[in-house]
Amino acid sequence: MTKVISFKCIGNSGFLSLIDSLLAILLVLMALMAFNLLLDDGSDSLSEDVNMFKTSQDIMEIMSSSIDSKDYSMIAEISYTLNKYNNSKSAQREVSDKLVGFFNKYLKGVHYSFVENNQLKGKELAADGDRFSSNNLTVATRIYENYSYQLYVW
């Protein structure tokens, strides 16, 4: 004699159990996504930091380069102006106007600060924002004759 084993359907409880487990998995996934969002600190990626560093170096290189042997570089021009007029306030204003025009042409959408550290003791000659309030600051430095220039970009 063979015994036949029969399974009795309990009704809809199997279906409800399936729905209940799917909802539990969905809640766990939502909790993991929320946790992942909390871990994102919103800081810039490393590639963005490198890009800003390259920008500051490139702009300072443009300022240090002359187009041909007859032209002077921007750094040479502002150093000459400052030296010729003994670093006077009017010479600083003239240099500042040149620098603002230059930076408006080459640094669109980027904040900057251009400082002379040697002769003018840290005088900011041109700026578009406050470099002390930035948390992602890159700097490029060039020395020309007795002048030491720093370009901060953020």
Side-chain angles (χ1 to χ4, degrees), residues 8 11 20-21 27 55 70 77-78 103 118 138-139 149 151:
K8 291 187 176 184
D20 185 43
S21 61
L27 285 174
T55 299
K70 296 178 184 175
E77 285 182 26
I78 62 176
F103 291 135
N118 193 26
T138 62
V139 64
Y149 301 105
L151 174 63

Side-chain angles (χ1 to χ4, degrees), residues 17-39:
S17 178
L18 179 65
I19 295 292
D20 185 43
S21 61
L22 288 175
L23 284 174
I25 291 172
L26 182 65
L27 285 174
V28 168
L29 287 174
M30 286 175 49
L32 287 173
M33 287 190 311
F35 182 70
N36 191 26
L37 286 174
L38 290 175
L39 289 180

Side-chain angles (χ1 to χ4, degrees), residues 49-64 75 78 99 102-103 107 110-117 126 131 136-144 147-154:
D49 292 343
V50 169
N51 187 32
M52 292 304 285
F53 175 74
K54 287 181 180 180
T55 299
S56 65
Q57 294 297 323
D58 289 346
I59 294 299
M60 197 59 115
E61 190 63 30
I62 291 170
M63 292 180 74
S64 300
I75 296 287
I78 62 176
L99 288 169
F102 177 84
F103 291 135
L107 288 176
V110 177
H111 297 288
Y112 63 87
S113 174
F114 190 81
V115 177
E116 198 290 319
N117 288 314
R131 71 179 184 267
N136 185 16
L137 191 67
T138 62
V139 64
T141 304
R142 294 293 185 278
I143 297 173
Y144 187 84
Y147 294 94
S148 173
Y149 301 105
Q150 287 186 322
L151 174 63
Y152 297 92
V153 176
W154 66 99

